[in-house]
């Protein structure tokens, strides 16, 4: 996704739609902001804002 705020907005939407949280929103040491959920059918989704080329 384009930015951290967009990741957080999507997390709120999918959680309210019934997704099971595997990993709540977090910012990694390498700068990505991400979350992971299971949809109601059990499929795992990972969503993040990715910043290729950024130094740690």
């Amino acid at each position: 996704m384009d930015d951290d705020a967009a990741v957080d907005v999507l997390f709120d939407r999918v959680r309210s739609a019934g997704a099971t949280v595997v990993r709540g929103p977090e910012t990694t040491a390498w700068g990505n902001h991400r979350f992971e959920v299971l949809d109601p059918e059990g499929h795992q989704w990972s969503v993040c804002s990715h910043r290729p080329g950024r130094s740690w």
Side-chain angles (χ1 to χ4, degrees):
M1 302 202 72
D2 292 333
D3 60 39
D4 297 353
V7 173
D8 291 337
V9 167
L10 183 57
F11 175 76
D12 290 338
R13 287 183 62 199
V14 299
R15 186 177 54 181
S16 351
T20 301
V21 177
V22 174
R23 180 188 320 261
E26 65 178 357
T27 300
T28 64
W30 50 93
N32 290 351
H33 188 67
R34 67 181 180 183
F35 71 83
E36 294 180 35
V37 295
L38 297 174
D39 68 22
E41 295 178 355
H43 299 100
Q44 187 166 351
W45 293 80
S46 298
V47 177
C48 76
S49 58
H50 180 64
R51 294 175 187 86
R54 282 185 64 172
S55 63
W56 297 13

